[in-house]
Amino acid sequence: MDDHVDSDSIKSKQDASDEPLVLTVLGCGTLGSAILSGILDSIYPINHRDAALSTAVADSLEADMPDRTPGAFIACVSRPSSAKRLGSELKQHLHRIKILQNENLEGVQQADIVLLACKPQMARDILSEPGMREALAGKLLISILAGVPVSQIEEILYGGTSESEASCKIVRVMPNTASLHRESMTVIANSTPPLSPGQAVLTTWMFTRIGRVVHLPSSAMDAATALCGSGPAFCALMLEAMADGAVAMGIPRAEAQEMAAQTMRGCAGMVLKGQHPAIVREKVSTPGGCTIGGLLVLEEGSLRGTIARGVREATVVASQLGKGLQGVNGTWGR
């Protein structure tokens, strides 16, 4: 595998404090590459589209600026096809990225910050590699593994305790696939004990580059996985259904999809600006009008309850994902 960055250009943690940080992504799949791409585009805009802030990023820029930010990047993958995919997806930034294949330990050794973005069932093998615990010592490990609490990662690395100075600091984060377009909704779990002020600022800063950020207790992370991680799929299904209805009434497919997407985006924008969803709905529902007629059909079909139950079921499934790290078979992915 050809490296796109010479080894000498990747600075270690012992370098001068004004050197940029090195961010390594372990398991740079769909979500990992989306996050990496979003961060790179926000730091190094390559065209007018990237320079123009998304609404989510613009609303999140009040986050404090860390003393040091990532400036060198390593993407770790396991297959040649994944390396080829990354080379294509991130071609605009390849001179800033080192792609490593089956060299996770080297990637972590050279890192200051490690983003654990592999599939949950791969975490034990990756983190149990000889030398990995030592390579992570004193570093910040950000886990975006669905359904895997910090306690399970600590169990793999340290047998359940990580209080020594040689341990890394682990924080659980749940972004979503809209990271690629810098429109993610990211939830950062409150750590116990808490991150240092510098680590907290850095973590928040990283994810405000790709969208909005909220902080919640760790006990809420399975529900956050369902709402934010699975949510784009739920929204896409509703968007597709709205477009189907328009197609059935004679609107061409391409135009119907664009209209449905912009309508959903506009509604979301009003809610994010402070309007309650019920107020938005009431403003559109004039007496005897077409909107209230359509809403009655949706209510008769139990749409509201069905969607809510979908989020609830996704939460239950999310809570089971990490059990595979303990040898329990399950369904993986979101």
Side-chain angles (χ1 to χ4, degrees):
M1 178 64 212
D2 291 332
D3 293 343
H4 300 287
V5 177
D6 293 336
S7 296
D8 291 343
S9 67
I10 302 294
K11 304 299 183 181
S12 70
K13 188 166 182 169
Q14 285 71 39
D15 285 331
S17 60
D18 59 348
E19 291 289 348
L21 298 171
V22 178
L23 171 63
T24 290
V25 182
L26 283 179
C28 202
T30 301
L31 187 53
S33 60
I35 295 169
L36 184 55
S37 176
I39 291 174
L40 282 163
D41 285 347
S42 72
I43 300 175
Y44 309 107
I46 55 179
N47 53 41
H48 179 71
R49 176 186 62 81
D50 293 328
L53 295 175
S54 70
T55 301
V57 171
D59 288 346
S60 299
L61 287 182
E62 294 182 0
D64 293 337
M65 186 75 177
D67 293 333
R68 296 170 64 199
T69 58
F73 304 85
I74 301 173
C76 296
V77 296
S78 60
R79 300 191 305 271
S81 58
S82 298
K84 183 177 180 180
R85 172 186 55 79
L86 276 180
S88 175
E89 292 178 353
L90 303 174
K91 59 184 177 181
Q92 305 278 13
H93 297 292
L94 277 186
H95 59 294
R96 297 186 176 92
I97 305 170
K98 183 176 184 178
I99 300 177
L100 298 178
Q101 184 181 325
N102 293 317
E103 298 183 63
N104 294 325
L105 182 60
E106 180 183 342
V108 173
Q109 288 171 335
Q110 298 183 43
D112 298 290
I113 317 155
V114 177
L115 180 67
L116 185 60
C118 62
K119 294 179 180 178
Q121 69 268 35
M122 297 170 61
R124 181 174 292 280
D125 288 341
I126 290 174
L127 296 177
S128 298
E129 182 177 346
M132 186 62 73
R133 173 166 43 181
E134 292 74 18
L136 283 167
K139 297 177 181 179
L140 177 62
L141 177 61
I142 301 172
S143 169
I144 62 168
L145 304 187
V148 181
V150 169
S151 60
Q152 282 188 267
I153 297 174
E154 290 176 339
E155 177 66 34
I156 295 171
L157 286 171
Y158 309 111
T161 177
S162 61
E163 297 300 323
S164 71
E165 293 182 0
S167 63
C168 64
K169 187 61 184 179
I170 307 169
V171 60
R172 187 177 176 189
V173 176
M174 178 47 57
N176 66 27
T177 191
S179 304
L180 181 61
H181 303 287
R182 299 167 66 189
E183 290 284 358
S184 176
M185 181 66 253
T186 299
V187 180
I188 300 176
N190 299 330
S191 300
T192 304
L195 298 177
S196 70
Q199 290 171 331
V201 169
L202 176 60
T203 302
T204 300
W205 180 88
M206 280 179 55
F207 289 94
T208 55
R209 301 310 93 189
I210 56 172
R212 293 174 181 264
V213 169
V214 299
H215 295 79
L216 289 175
S218 58
S219 59
M221 291 304 286
D222 289 332
T225 298
L227 183 58
C228 301
S230 303
F234 301 158
C235 292
L237 180 63
M238 288 183 280
L239 191 156
E240 190 176 19
M242 291 168 62
D244 284 346
V247 171
M249 299 310 296
I251 296 178
R253 170 66 65 181
E255 285 79 1
Q257 287 187 178
E258 180 180 3
M259 293 160 66
Q262 181 59 38
T263 299
M264 186 174 285
R265 181 178 185 174
C267 178
M270 288 187 285
V271 173
L272 289 172
K273 292 299 183 182
Q275 294 194 49
H276 192 280
I279 300 300
V280 175
R281 175 171 50 82
E282 286 299 314
K283 284 183 176 180
V284 184
S285 302
T286 56
C290 58
T291 302
I292 191 64
L295 285 171
L296 286 175
V297 173
L298 297 179
E299 293 288 8
E300 288 169 359
S302 302
L303 178 68
R304 185 195 304 259
T306 300
I307 293 171
R309 288 195 300 275
V311 174
R312 186 173 63 183
E313 176 64 16
T315 301
V316 173
V317 174
S319 70
Q320 303 298 312
L321 294 179
K323 291 186 176 181
L325 296 181
Q326 300 175 332
V328 179
N329 292 328
T331 302
W332 300 103
R334 291 195 193 106

